[in-house]
mmCIF file of all heavy atoms in Angstrom:
data_model
loop_
_atom_site.group_PDB
_atom_site.id
_atom_site.type_symbol
_atom_site.label_atom_id
_atom_site.label_comp_id
_atom_site.label_asym_id
_atom_site.label_seq_id
_atom_site.Cartn_x
_atom_site.Cartn_y
_atom_site.Cartn_z
ATOM 1 N N ILE A 1269 -56.884 134.430 -26.337
ATOM 2 C CA ILE A 1269 -58.219 134.447 -25.736
ATOM 3 C C ILE A 1269 -58.861 133.071 -25.829
ATOM 4 O O ILE A 1269 -58.856 132.447 -26.887
ATOM 5 C CB ILE A 1269 -59.117 135.487 -26.431
ATOM 6 C CG1 ILE A 1269 -58.584 136.895 -26.179
ATOM 7 C CG2 ILE A 1269 -60.566 135.380 -25.954
ATOM 8 C CD1 ILE A 1269 -59.361 137.977 -26.884
ATOM 9 N N LYS A 1270 -59.419 132.636 -24.707
ATOM 10 C CA LYS A 1270 -60.219 131.408 -24.710
ATOM 11 C C LYS A 1270 -61.677 131.827 -24.537
ATOM 12 O O LYS A 1270 -62.049 132.378 -23.510
ATOM 13 C CB LYS A 1270 -59.797 130.468 -23.580
ATOM 14 C CG LYS A 1270 -60.600 129.177 -23.545
ATOM 15 C CD LYS A 1270 -60.063 128.224 -22.502
ATOM 16 C CE LYS A 1270 -60.951 126.988 -22.331
ATOM 17 N NZ LYS A 1270 -61.143 126.234 -23.573
ATOM 18 N N ILE A 1271 -62.472 131.589 -25.567
ATOM 19 C CA ILE A 1271 -63.885 131.961 -25.526
ATOM 20 C C ILE A 1271 -64.599 131.113 -24.478
ATOM 21 O O ILE A 1271 -64.364 129.914 -24.350
ATOM 22 C CB ILE A 1271 -64.542 131.757 -26.916
ATOM 23 C CG1 ILE A 1271 -63.838 132.614 -27.979
ATOM 24 C CG2 ILE A 1271 -66.032 132.084 -26.873
ATOM 25 C CD1 ILE A 1271 -63.983 134.103 -27.797
ATOM 26 N N LEU A 1272 -65.476 131.745 -23.703
ATOM 27 C CA LEU A 1272 -66.249 131.021 -22.696
ATOM 28 C C LEU A 1272 -67.100 129.941 -23.354
ATOM 29 O O LEU A 1272 -67.504 130.065 -24.515
ATOM 30 C CB LEU A 1272 -67.174 131.985 -21.944
ATOM 31 C CG LEU A 1272 -66.538 132.998 -20.991
ATOM 32 C CD1 LEU A 1272 -67.619 133.900 -20.408
ATOM 33 C CD2 LEU A 1272 -65.779 132.312 -19.880
ATOM 34 N N SER A 1273 -67.388 128.902 -22.621
ATOM 35 C CA SER A 1273 -68.272 127.862 -23.144
ATOM 36 C C SER A 1273 -69.705 128.395 -23.198
ATOM 37 O O SER A 1273 -70.038 129.396 -22.553
ATOM 38 C CB SER A 1273 -68.216 126.616 -22.262
ATOM 39 O OG SER A 1273 -68.826 126.876 -21.004
ATOM 40 N N TRP A 1274 -70.557 127.719 -23.939
ATOM 41 C CA TRP A 1274 -71.944 128.150 -24.098
ATOM 42 C C TRP A 1274 -72.670 128.178 -22.754
ATOM 43 O O TRP A 1274 -73.376 129.137 -22.434
ATOM 44 C CB TRP A 1274 -72.635 127.204 -25.090
ATOM 45 C CG TRP A 1274 -74.071 127.547 -25.347
ATOM 46 C CD1 TRP A 1274 -74.543 128.617 -26.040
ATOM 47 C CD2 TRP A 1274 -75.213 126.804 -24.921
ATOM 48 N NE1 TRP A 1274 -75.928 128.592 -26.074
ATOM 49 C CE2 TRP A 1274 -76.364 127.485 -25.397
ATOM 50 C CE3 TRP A 1274 -75.391 125.627 -24.188
ATOM 51 C CZ2 TRP A 1274 -77.660 127.030 -25.163
ATOM 52 C CZ3 TRP A 1274 -76.682 125.172 -23.959
ATOM 53 C CH2 TRP A 1274 -77.798 125.874 -24.443
ATOM 54 N N LYS A 1275 -72.463 127.160 -21.943
ATOM 55 C CA LYS A 1275 -73.127 127.109 -20.631
ATOM 56 C C LYS A 1275 -72.616 128.203 -19.708
ATOM 57 O O LYS A 1275 -73.377 128.823 -18.958
ATOM 58 C CB LYS A 1275 -72.930 125.727 -19.984
ATOM 59 C CG LYS A 1275 -73.834 124.666 -20.573
ATOM 60 C CD LYS A 1275 -73.831 123.396 -19.733
ATOM 61 C CE LYS A 1275 -74.834 122.393 -20.295
ATOM 62 N NZ LYS A 1275 -74.831 121.128 -19.522
ATOM 63 N N LYS A 1276 -71.297 128.458 -19.747
ATOM 64 C CA LYS A 1276 -70.730 129.527 -18.922
ATOM 65 C C LYS A 1276 -71.282 130.895 -19.359
ATOM 66 O O LYS A 1276 -71.501 131.776 -18.526
ATOM 67 C CB LYS A 1276 -69.201 129.509 -19.044
ATOM 68 C CG LYS A 1276 -68.539 128.353 -18.281
ATOM 69 C CD LYS A 1276 -68.212 128.789 -16.870
ATOM 70 C CE LYS A 1276 -67.729 127.636 -16.007
ATOM 71 N NZ LYS A 1276 -66.610 126.898 -16.524
ATOM 72 N N ALA A 1277 -71.467 131.068 -20.664
ATOM 73 C CA ALA A 1277 -72.023 132.323 -21.175
ATOM 74 C C ALA A 1277 -73.458 132.520 -20.682
ATOM 75 O O ALA A 1277 -73.843 133.626 -20.278
ATOM 76 C CB ALA A 1277 -71.981 132.337 -22.702
ATOM 77 N N ILE A 1278 -74.246 131.440 -20.694
ATOM 78 C CA ILE A 1278 -75.621 131.503 -20.176
ATOM 79 C C ILE A 1278 -75.597 131.887 -18.705
ATOM 80 O O ILE A 1278 -76.362 132.750 -18.244
ATOM 81 C CB ILE A 1278 -76.337 130.144 -20.360
ATOM 82 C CG1 ILE A 1278 -76.483 129.795 -21.840
ATOM 83 C CG2 ILE A 1278 -77.694 130.155 -19.659
ATOM 84 C CD1 ILE A 1278 -77.589 130.473 -22.580
ATOM 85 N N GLU A 1279 -74.699 131.259 -17.942
ATOM 86 C CA GLU A 1279 -74.579 131.559 -16.503
ATOM 87 C C GLU A 1279 -74.178 133.015 -16.280
ATOM 88 O O GLU A 1279 -74.676 133.669 -15.357
ATOM 89 C CB GLU A 1279 -73.543 130.624 -15.856
ATOM 90 C CG GLU A 1279 -74.008 129.194 -15.719
ATOM 91 C CD GLU A 1279 -72.877 128.252 -15.317
ATOM 92 O OE1 GLU A 1279 -71.773 128.756 -14.995
ATOM 93 O OE2 GLU A 1279 -73.095 127.027 -15.337
ATOM 94 N N TYR A 1280 -73.263 133.508 -17.136
ATOM 95 C CA TYR A 1280 -72.837 134.905 -17.004
ATOM 96 C C TYR A 1280 -74.025 135.850 -17.193
ATOM 97 O O TYR A 1280 -74.232 136.774 -16.399
ATOM 98 C CB TYR A 1280 -71.747 135.249 -18.019
ATOM 99 C CG TYR A 1280 -71.552 136.750 -18.132
ATOM 100 C CD1 TYR A 1280 -70.851 137.452 -17.153
ATOM 101 C CD2 TYR A 1280 -72.139 137.470 -19.168
ATOM 102 C CE1 TYR A 1280 -70.719 138.834 -17.223
ATOM 103 C CE2 TYR A 1280 -72.015 138.852 -19.239
ATOM 104 C CZ TYR A 1280 -71.306 139.525 -18.269
ATOM 105 O OH TYR A 1280 -71.204 140.887 -18.320
ATOM 106 N N PHE A 1281 -74.810 135.626 -18.256
ATOM 107 C CA PHE A 1281 -75.940 136.517 -18.530
ATOM 108 C C PHE A 1281 -77.019 136.396 -17.458
ATOM 109 O O PHE A 1281 -77.688 137.388 -17.130
ATOM 110 C CB PHE A 1281 -76.510 136.259 -19.921
ATOM 111 C CG PHE A 1281 -75.762 136.981 -21.001
ATOM 112 C CD1 PHE A 1281 -74.829 136.327 -21.790
ATOM 113 C CD2 PHE A 1281 -75.964 138.333 -21.221
ATOM 114 C CE1 PHE A 1281 -74.119 136.998 -22.779
ATOM 115 C CE2 PHE A 1281 -75.259 139.022 -22.208
ATOM 116 C CZ PHE A 1281 -74.333 138.353 -22.985
ATOM 117 N N GLU A 1282 -77.194 135.206 -16.903
ATOM 118 C CA GLU A 1282 -78.158 135.047 -15.805
ATOM 119 C C GLU A 1282 -77.734 135.881 -14.596
ATOM 120 O O GLU A 1282 -78.559 136.562 -13.973
ATOM 121 C CB GLU A 1282 -78.275 133.570 -15.409
ATOM 122 C CG GLU A 1282 -79.103 132.752 -16.380
ATOM 123 C CD GLU A 1282 -79.155 131.270 -16.036
ATOM 124 O OE1 GLU A 1282 -78.237 130.782 -15.333
ATOM 125 O OE2 GLU A 1282 -80.095 130.600 -16.479
ATOM 126 N N LYS A 1283 -76.438 135.844 -14.272
ATOM 127 C CA LYS A 1283 -75.945 136.637 -13.143
ATOM 128 C C LYS A 1283 -76.015 138.135 -13.447
ATOM 129 O O LYS A 1283 -76.399 138.941 -12.587
ATOM 130 C CB LYS A 1283 -74.498 136.251 -12.808
ATOM 131 C CG LYS A 1283 -73.972 136.981 -11.569
ATOM 132 C CD LYS A 1283 -72.563 136.605 -11.228
ATOM 133 C CE LYS A 1283 -72.110 137.253 -9.929
ATOM 134 N NZ LYS A 1283 -72.236 138.718 -9.921
ATOM 135 N N LEU A 1284 -75.648 138.516 -14.669
ATOM 136 C CA LEU A 1284 -75.725 139.922 -15.060
ATOM 137 C C LEU A 1284 -77.153 140.439 -14.919
ATOM 138 O O LEU A 1284 -77.385 141.523 -14.353
ATOM 139 C CB LEU A 1284 -75.245 140.092 -16.506
ATOM 140 C CG LEU A 1284 -75.434 141.486 -17.131
ATOM 141 C CD1 LEU A 1284 -74.653 142.544 -16.368
ATOM 142 C CD2 LEU A 1284 -75.030 141.482 -18.593
ATOM 143 N N LEU A 1285 -78.105 139.676 -15.403
ATOM 144 C CA LEU A 1285 -79.512 140.088 -15.323
ATOM 145 C C LEU A 1285 -79.989 140.146 -13.876
ATOM 146 O O LEU A 1285 -80.766 141.033 -13.505
ATOM 147 C CB LEU A 1285 -80.380 139.121 -16.137
ATOM 148 C CG LEU A 1285 -80.188 139.212 -17.656
ATOM 149 C CD1 LEU A 1285 -80.743 137.974 -18.343
ATOM 150 C CD2 LEU A 1285 -80.851 140.469 -18.208
ATOM 151 N N HIS A 1286 -79.528 139.208 -13.054
ATOM 152 C CA HIS A 1286 -79.876 139.225 -11.630
ATOM 153 C C HIS A 1286 -79.320 140.487 -10.962
ATOM 154 O O HIS A 1286 -80.023 141.153 -10.191
ATOM 155 C CB HIS A 1286 -79.327 137.976 -10.948
ATOM 156 C CG HIS A 1286 -79.545 137.957 -9.460
ATOM 157 N ND1 HIS A 1286 -80.791 137.820 -8.884
ATOM 158 C CD2 HIS A 1286 -78.662 138.091 -8.426
ATOM 159 C CE1 HIS A 1286 -80.668 137.864 -7.566
ATOM 160 N NE2 HIS A 1286 -79.403 138.024 -7.269
ATOM 161 N N ASP A 1287 -78.076 140.838 -11.284
ATOM 162 C CA ASP A 1287 -77.461 142.053 -10.723
ATOM 163 C C ASP A 1287 -78.197 143.312 -11.194
ATOM 164 O O ASP A 1287 -78.436 144.241 -10.401
ATOM 165 C CB ASP A 1287 -75.984 142.137 -11.120
ATOM 166 C CG ASP A 1287 -75.136 141.074 -10.450
ATOM 167 O OD1 ASP A 1287 -75.554 140.567 -9.400
ATOM 168 O OD2 ASP A 1287 -74.059 140.744 -10.989
ATOM 169 N N LEU A 1288 -78.568 143.342 -12.469
ATOM 170 C CA LEU A 1288 -79.313 144.492 -12.996
ATOM 171 C C LEU A 1288 -80.692 144.590 -12.346
ATOM 172 O O LEU A 1288 -81.201 145.691 -12.100
ATOM 173 C CB LEU A 1288 -79.448 144.380 -14.516
ATOM 174 C CG LEU A 1288 -78.161 144.506 -15.333
ATOM 175 C CD1 LEU A 1288 -78.440 144.285 -16.816
ATOM 176 C CD2 LEU A 1288 -77.489 145.856 -15.129
ATOM 177 N N ASP A 1289 -81.281 143.438 -12.047
ATOM 178 C CA ASP A 1289 -82.591 143.429 -11.391
ATOM 179 C C ASP A 1289 -82.497 144.007 -9.981
ATOM 180 O O ASP A 1289 -83.404 144.720 -9.525
ATOM 181 C CB ASP A 1289 -83.140 142.003 -11.345
ATOM 182 C CG ASP A 1289 -84.584 141.956 -10.882
ATOM 183 O OD1 ASP A 1289 -85.429 142.643 -11.484
ATOM 184 O OD2 ASP A 1289 -84.880 141.249 -9.898
ATOM 185 N N ILE A 1290 -81.401 143.706 -9.285
ATOM 186 C CA ILE A 1290 -81.188 144.267 -7.941
ATOM 187 C C ILE A 1290 -81.096 145.789 -8.022
ATOM 188 O O ILE A 1290 -81.667 146.513 -7.197
ATOM 189 C CB ILE A 1290 -79.914 143.676 -7.310
ATOM 190 C CG1 ILE A 1290 -80.116 142.193 -6.980
ATOM 191 C CG2 ILE A 1290 -79.521 144.438 -6.039
ATOM 192 C CD1 ILE A 1290 -78.864 141.476 -6.541
ATOM 193 N N ILE A 1291 -80.375 146.282 -9.035
ATOM 194 C CA ILE A 1291 -80.251 147.734 -9.230
ATOM 195 C C ILE A 1291 -81.621 148.351 -9.499
ATOM 196 O O ILE A 1291 -81.989 149.371 -8.910
ATOM 197 C CB ILE A 1291 -79.288 148.047 -10.395
ATOM 198 C CG1 ILE A 1291 -77.871 147.582 -10.061
ATOM 199 C CG2 ILE A 1291 -79.283 149.537 -10.719
ATOM 200 C CD1 ILE A 1291 -76.916 147.609 -11.243
ATOM 201 N N CYS A 1292 -82.391 147.711 -10.390
ATOM 202 C CA CYS A 1292 -83.706 148.252 -10.757
ATOM 203 C C CYS A 1292 -84.699 148.210 -9.598
ATOM 204 O O CYS A 1292 -85.617 149.025 -9.541
ATOM 205 C CB CYS A 1292 -84.286 147.473 -11.937
ATOM 206 S SG CYS A 1292 -83.370 147.692 -13.473
ATOM 207 N N SER A 1293 -84.519 147.271 -8.681
ATOM 208 C CA SER A 1293 -85.453 147.132 -7.548
ATOM 209 C C SER A 1293 -85.135 148.088 -6.407
ATOM 210 O O SER A 1293 -85.920 148.223 -5.465
ATOM 211 C CB SER A 1293 -85.439 145.690 -7.024
ATOM 212 O OG SER A 1293 -84.146 145.359 -6.533
ATOM 213 N N TYR A 1294 -83.982 148.778 -6.475
ATOM 214 C CA TYR A 1294 -83.620 149.724 -5.424
ATOM 215 C C TYR A 1294 -84.592 150.909 -5.448
ATOM 216 O O TYR A 1294 -84.847 151.485 -6.501
ATOM 217 C CB TYR A 1294 -82.177 150.200 -5.622
ATOM 218 C CG TYR A 1294 -81.712 151.181 -4.567
ATOM 219 C CD1 TYR A 1294 -81.641 150.799 -3.233
ATOM 220 C CD2 TYR A 1294 -81.358 152.483 -4.902
ATOM 221 C CE1 TYR A 1294 -81.221 151.688 -2.263
ATOM 222 C CE2 TYR A 1294 -80.939 153.379 -3.938
ATOM 223 C CZ TYR A 1294 -80.871 152.973 -2.619
ATOM 224 O OH TYR A 1294 -80.470 153.862 -1.652
ATOM 225 N N PRO A 1295 -85.143 151.289 -4.295
ATOM 226 C CA PRO A 1295 -86.206 152.315 -4.279
ATOM 227 C C PRO A 1295 -85.736 153.755 -4.430
ATOM 228 O O PRO A 1295 -86.514 154.678 -4.207
ATOM 229 C CB PRO A 1295 -86.842 152.098 -2.895
ATOM 230 C CG PRO A 1295 -85.752 151.535 -2.049
ATOM 231 C CD PRO A 1295 -84.906 150.691 -2.966
ATOM 232 N N LEU A 1296 -84.469 153.997 -4.795
ATOM 233 C CA LEU A 1296 -83.917 155.352 -4.973
ATOM 234 C C LEU A 1296 -84.098 156.193 -3.706
ATOM 235 O O LEU A 1296 -84.617 157.314 -3.735
ATOM 236 C CB LEU A 1296 -84.560 156.057 -6.178
ATOM 237 C CG LEU A 1296 -84.501 155.329 -7.522
ATOM 238 C CD1 LEU A 1296 -85.003 156.218 -8.645
ATOM 239 C CD2 LEU A 1296 -83.095 154.845 -7.836
#
Side-chain angles (χ1 to χ4, degrees):
I1269 294 177
K1270 180 175 173 57
I1271 300 294
L1272 290 177
S1273 69
W1274 180 71
K1275 283 192 176 178
K1276 286 270 172 55
I1278 296 281
E1279 288 169 8
Y1280 166 77
F1281 276 101
E1282 283 177 337
K1283 184 180 185 304
L1284 172 62
L1285 290 163
H1286 176 69
D1287 291 337
L1288 293 176
D1289 189 55
I1290 291 172
I1291 295 169
C1292 293
S1293 62
Y1294 180 63
L1296 305 188

